[in-house]
Amino acid sequence: MSGKRNAPSVIIGYGRAGRDLHHRALRDIAGGNPPVTAVDPRPAEVPGGQWVPDVRGAVRALRALGHRVSDAVFHVTVPPDAHRDCLEQLLSVGARHFILEKPVAPTVQEAAHLVDLAEVTRAVVLPMSVWPNSRVTEAAEALVAAGRIGEPVAYHMEQSKPRFRRSLQDRGHASAFEVEMPHQMLLALHLAGPVAEVTASRGWDLPLPAGRLAGLGGAEVELRHHDGAITTLYTDLSSPVRRRRLHVHGTEGTLVADYPVSGDDDFGQVRIIGSTVHRVVQDAPLTRFVEQAYAHFRGEGPAPHGDLALHLRSMELIDTARATAFRDAGAPASREAA
């Protein structure tokens, strides 16, 4: 990849995330089909690589190619509730380098265990952090650092999209707080720093012709950071259009950053309202994250932004926000349009 020898790649779980995201990113970086070992109980076609049914098969495949297990990068893309067992199994056979798909765990307690596990074993576990490593984010940060809007005082982040059909079919999310909000919370912590408190939070139902889906219509959270800045996070899952947008309000102006809304067009834009500043940025943040992760594993650069501790803090804040939003109404457990 990029003309440099990379560690061998093993993808644990060859479903949508493993096949369509992680493996695609590896192919984009390599400009072809790099040798990849895919581990999944279901047989699979692996372009340029090989399929094995379990971790023992992956270990045998690595050794047959002359690799040590400790040299390989393991992409953990199994469901979140299997992350802990998967990491512990891989650590027991000598794995030490991991890219961990988000969310890192199903609960705050499980995430805290992973933080401790990585510390005790000295494994390098890099959780997938898309927007903190985006070129759009980098361009926005550069303009803010250059003083183009003065001192930042408030942030507003929105990730909205129509999500009617998937909400009906996908039973993996209990509320809108689990869909787009984790991406926004992680970016808020990256941009604005530690949060002092969740000052407000609300969630609402998703309207459908046959009724409504409780808690899945959208969510809004307001945060106060330790430096006094205020961040508002907003997601509308009944929006007629897709939007991934960041506003940074400063003492001397406002910056607007629009992220690519899908894989159909990998360009974002950054502009300052009322000025001639308008930058178009080619942005494939997931691919960039993977490329930076491999460079870090080779000892050629820093780790991508967004470590396990930041993911843990993000999960804690989302738990607090969700509890605040549904404290009076009760947990959004029923789905009337199901």
Side-chain angles (χ1 to χ4, degrees):
M1 300 175 193
S2 301
K4 297 178 180 178
R5 182 181 182 276
N6 264 292
S9 302
V10 181
I11 301 175
I12 310 292
Y14 203 61
R16 177 182 174 274
R19 180 187 63 246
D20 299 337
L21 300 179
H22 289 247
H23 195 182
R24 187 182 68 185
L26 291 170
R27 292 198 299 270
D28 288 345
I29 294 167
N33 285 322
V36 168
T37 300
V39 179
D40 199 287
R42 302 159 297 184
E45 293 292 330
V46 184
Q50 61 180 319
W51 165 81
V52 296
D54 52 33
V55 169
R56 286 179 297 177
V59 171
R60 287 194 296 269
L62 287 169
R63 290 174 176 165
L65 293 170
H67 299 300
R68 296 179 302 178
V69 176
S70 59
D71 292 333
V73 176
F74 290 83
H75 297 244
V76 179
T77 65
V78 295
D81 58 2
H83 282 182
R84 175 177 175 171
D85 288 345
C86 183
L87 281 174
E88 289 178 343
Q89 182 183 9
L90 290 169
L91 286 165
S92 72
V93 297
R96 287 298 177 268
H97 300 118
F98 303 93
I99 293 177
L100 183 62
E101 185 53 57
K102 60 185 188 315
V104 298
T107 66
V108 167
Q109 292 75 19
E110 284 282 295
H113 177 82
L114 295 185
V115 172
D116 292 340
L117 186 65
E119 183 176 345
V120 168
T121 61
R122 297 187 178 180
V124 183
V125 182
L126 303 181
M128 184 61 72
S129 308
V130 178
W131 301 123
N133 294 284
S134 158
R135 291 191 186 277
V136 171
T137 300
E138 188 176 81
E141 289 179 293
L143 289 170
V144 172
R148 300 301 295 267
I149 62 169
E151 190 69 23
V153 294
Y155 301 78
H156 183 276
M157 302 175 193
E158 178 182 357
Q159 284 191 247
S160 294
K161 62 184 178 183
R163 198 181 183 274
F164 297 95
R165 177 60 60 190
R166 190 170 176 190
S167 293
L168 278 168
Q169 295 174 340
D170 184 354
R171 301 299 173 176
H173 299 295
S175 77
F177 286 90
E178 288 93 60
V179 182
E180 301 288 8
M181 197 61 70
H183 299 281
Q184 296 166 262
M185 187 67 77
L186 201 65
L187 183 58
L189 291 170
H190 169 71
L191 289 175
V195 168
E197 63 174 331
V198 175
T199 53
S201 181
R202 67 187 181 102
W204 55 92
D205 297 344
L206 180 69
L208 286 163
R212 62 188 178 89
L213 292 182
L216 279 165
E220 186 173 24
V221 178
E222 184 180 274
L223 311 167
R224 181 176 62 82
H225 297 266
H226 282 298
D227 66 358
I230 300 297
T231 289
T232 303
L233 311 178
Y234 179 84
T235 180
D236 178 7
L237 301 182
S238 64
S239 172
V241 297
R242 286 178 172 266
R243 180 175 291 119
R244 289 172 175 167
R245 179 172 289 171
L246 162 70
H247 286 81
V248 184
H249 303 284
T251 53
E252 299 175 19
T254 296
L255 177 147
V256 181
D258 284 285
Y259 293 84
V261 295
S262 72
D264 298 333
D265 198 316
D266 59 343
F267 288 86
Q269 303 181 53
V270 180
R271 65 190 189 277
I272 294 177
I273 295 176
S275 81
T276 59
V277 174
H278 183 187
R279 299 181 181 174
V280 176
V281 183
Q282 189 169 11
D283 195 18
L286 189 148
T287 300
R288 190 178 190 218
F289 175 93
V290 172
E291 189 167 28
Q292 290 176 331
Y294 273 78
H296 180 64
F297 293 138
R298 292 194 303 265
E300 297 175 1
H305 299 297
D307 60 14
L308 273 174
L310 199 70
H311 279 255
L312 172 59
R313 181 56 178 151
S314 175
M315 291 178 66
E316 290 171 340
L317 290 166
I318 289 173
D319 271 9
T320 298
R322 181 174 46 234
T324 300
F326 299 117
R327 181 177 297 142
D328 298 327
S334 64
R335 301 190 177 191
E336 297 180 12

